[in-house]
Amino acid sequence: SLLASRAMRGIGLRSFVARLGFLANTSAALIVPLVALCRGDITHPNVLISDVMASNAAYEAIYTWLWSITMSCTCFVFGEACRHWSQAHPDVKGVGPLITILQSVWAPCLVGVVAFQYKLESPSAGCDALHEFLHCAFTSVLFLAAGAMGVIYRFQLLPSLDATIMDPVDLWCSRNTVNCIVGMVAISCVVRGLHLYHSVTQWAVPMLVCEVVFVLIAGVFAFGGTQYLMIQLDDEQPIIGHGTVVAGGFRYGGSMKRSERPQFCFRRNVALIGMAANVSVAMVLPLLAWYRGDVQMPHVSTSDLMASHPLYEALCTWLYGITMSTACFILREATAHWSNAAPTLGTLLGVFVGVMQLVWAPCLAGFVSFQNRAAATDLDLLQGTTHKICVFLLFVSVGVMCVIYHIYIQPELVAKELLHPQDSFWSTWSLKGSLAMLSLALSARAISELCVEGHELVWLPLALIDAGFISAAGVFGFYGNAQLMAALDAHQPIKFGGLDCRGRRRSW
């Protein structure tokens, strides 16, 4: 069987990411609320998952980290599945709407739920009222997006997937869990209405049960309903190593004619959204805080910005979450295309994807989850230490990805005409800038941590270096792949909303 063969050869990257996402989702939905309930950190009627997040700074950080990892793993697993279905079985319907809602609605809303968290002590005071409103809005849209994806999967995608396309176990698991998801959305809406307008005390526990069951079933659907497919893809098309080459690669023989350019590029628009979020968190927010006087010397770094005010913390968490989801989507689309067109780069591209998915994304989530505040308690000290570790690993992982790409991957892509000249130009100079900024940032941070006297002099240059490093990495990840995303949209369009990306009327 597939499980027996995989047990003999070890677990693949796709299967590992799926299990990591399932573990993070289960911990957030079941284990953490049970711990909070047993410790007495939540009491009736404030027993919902949102109340757990609002009860303590530690729970807030843990939920932000776990659900950011869940979001990253879910997008990765569904991206792999949808890419396989659309390439191997072009007649399968519903792939485009599913991946569109996942990337455009569900992922930003999940990040928004954990970014804008209210406090139980003063839910109607100032900033907390805004946080509560945004938290509830993102939660509502998140449930509706999950329900919409469930409907699309159940009534459009599943009828096209039979036993010849999908493993029977995956098919059985997907069919039953998606039916439960659609039903739980309807039940949860009714219970939520009674919880809000009838009796908070009476309907608190049923609402908690609906939340926990819904999240657990969604985790089983996302990761359990694709486990055999991930094992099959790891066997036939391993991310790290060589496997079966899927047709679909193309070379740049010249510039794309204007008549050949798609009217609407989903992948390229995702890249532009990610670039906008990256620039906003790297430059716009720090400049706004500096202009308003919310940050002052020597506390002017990105970490100090997030620790200065809850609204900056929420905005940085949300924007960094969007940056993470869009960057993982764009870079995986690019590496999947390159691995098909240049099989000799399979191992290097696999290492690149592995570092991005297993080190960079969790460390970025940890960076925004565990804040570096003044060490008033042991918990603050632990969060500050975890924050610094995540920052160090984040910088190192970006440096490793830049070195792998710049030295080993990019020359091969240029030689085989797999990289557009404009993409090559932007990726080359952004990579050089990222590596230069990385060296300066590590040196400046070492000086600031080790030198007792005069360390304040490096804080302003360090803030500028941080902004330059984040911006250069964003240019590489998003604008350095813009032409490739447009070409992929032209050659392999994602069909959604009745239109393909060329603007022509198509069926789902």
Side-chain angles (χ1 to χ4, degrees), residues 188-202:
S188 299
C189 290
V190 175
V191 175
R192 182 59 173 170
L194 295 172
H195 177 256
L196 289 176
Y197 301 109
H198 180 254
S199 173
V200 173
T201 303
Q202 182 177 351

Side-chain angles (χ1 to χ4, degrees), residues 226-455:
T226 56
Q227 61 169 333
Y228 280 89
L229 177 60
M230 295 300 106
I231 294 173
Q232 177 187 349
L233 291 177
D234 282 330
D235 282 337
E236 298 177 357
Q237 304 167 28
I239 293 179
I240 302 178
H242 302 283
T244 305
V245 178
V246 180
F250 52 86
R251 288 170 171 78
Y252 292 100
S255 300
M256 186 184 299
K257 296 180 181 179
R258 183 171 295 274
S259 58
E260 298 175 346
R261 296 176 183 174
Q263 296 179 9
F264 183 80
C265 304
F266 174 71
R267 297 179 180 91
R268 190 173 183 179
N269 284 351
V270 169
L272 293 178
I273 291 172
M275 187 66 196
N278 183 77
V279 172
S280 299
V281 78
M283 293 186 177
V284 178
L285 280 182
L287 288 176
L288 178 62
W290 179 274
Y291 176 77
R292 286 173 48 86
D294 296 325
V295 293
Q296 297 177 354
M297 292 289 292
H299 306 293
V300 291
S301 65
T302 306
S303 302
D304 298 322
L305 172 64
M306 289 190 289
S308 64
H309 194 275
L311 185 57
Y312 288 127
E313 177 186 350
L315 288 174
C316 286
T317 301
W318 189 53
L319 291 173
Y320 271 125
I322 294 176
T323 301
M324 179 176 65
S325 64
T326 52
C328 290
F329 174 77
I330 293 301
L331 291 176
R332 182 56 191 137
E333 288 289 310
T335 53
H337 165 69
W338 292 331
S339 62
N340 292 334
T344 55
L345 290 175
T347 301
L348 290 172
L349 290 171
V351 173
F352 183 91
V353 174
V355 173
M356 175 185 69
Q357 196 68 39
L358 300 179
V359 183
W360 177 80
C363 287
L364 181 58
F367 166 72
V368 298
S369 302
F370 303 98
Q371 298 299 320
N372 187 25
R373 297 185 178 90
T377 63
D378 292 339
L379 178 61
D380 293 332
L381 180 61
L382 178 61
Q383 288 207 43
T385 303
T386 307
H387 179 88
K388 293 178 181 179
I389 294 174
C390 290
V391 169
F392 176 75
L393 293 177
L394 185 64
F395 274 68
V396 171
S397 62
V398 172
V400 170
M401 289 192 293
C402 289
V403 169
I404 292 174
Y405 184 88
H406 184 59
I407 297 179
Y408 299 104
I409 297 177
Q410 189 181 25
E412 186 79 10
L413 297 177
V414 173
K416 294 186 177 183
E417 297 182 351
L418 295 173
L419 199 62
H420 193 277
Q422 183 176 331
D423 288 351
S424 178
F425 171 81
W426 285 109
S427 60
T428 298
W429 289 104
S430 61
L431 283 173
K432 291 180 178 179
S434 298
L435 292 174
M437 292 291 180
L438 177 61
S439 302
L440 293 174
L442 293 177
S443 301
R445 286 188 180 276
I447 293 173
S448 65
E449 294 291 339
L450 298 178
C451 295
V452 179
E453 297 181 358
H455 68 280

Side-chain angles (χ1 to χ4, degrees), residues 9 22 62 84 91 122 206 232 247 263 287 314-315 341 359 405 507:
R9 281 177 275 179
F22 181 78
I62 291 172
H84 167 71
D91 295 333
S122 56
Q232 177 187 349
Q263 296 179 9
L287 288 176
L315 288 174
V359 183
Y405 184 88
S507 65

Side-chain angles (χ1 to χ4, degrees), residues 48-50 53 67 101 105-107 109-110 113 135-151 180-192 207-216 218:
L48 303 184
I49 294 180
S50 299
M53 288 189 282
W67 265 337
I101 296 176
V105 183
W106 180 84
C109 287
L110 181 58
V113 167
H135 179 88
C136 295
F138 279 122
T139 302
S140 301
V141 179
L142 177 70
F143 272 75
L144 292 177
M149 288 191 295
V151 170
C180 292
I181 287 175
V182 174
M184 284 303 301
V185 168
I187 295 174
S188 299
C189 290
V190 175
V191 175
R192 182 59 173 170
M207 190 68 233
L208 173 64
V209 173
C210 289
E211 286 186 341
V212 172
V213 172
F214 179 84
V215 176
L216 290 176

Side-chain angles (χ1 to χ4, degrees), residues 130-176:
L130 176 62
H131 280 211
E132 183 178 14
F133 171 77
L134 292 176
H135 179 88
C136 295
F138 279 122
T139 302
S140 301
V141 179
L142 177 70
F143 272 75
L144 292 177
M149 288 191 295
V151 170
I152 293 171
Y153 198 96
R154 175 63 182 86
F155 296 103
Q156 296 207 1
L157 193 58
L158 268 182
S160 303
L161 299 175
D162 53 26
T164 61
I165 299 177
M166 202 171 182
D167 187 89
V169 177
D170 286 352
L171 196 60
W172 180 87
C173 183
S174 298
R175 179 180 292 111
N176 287 278

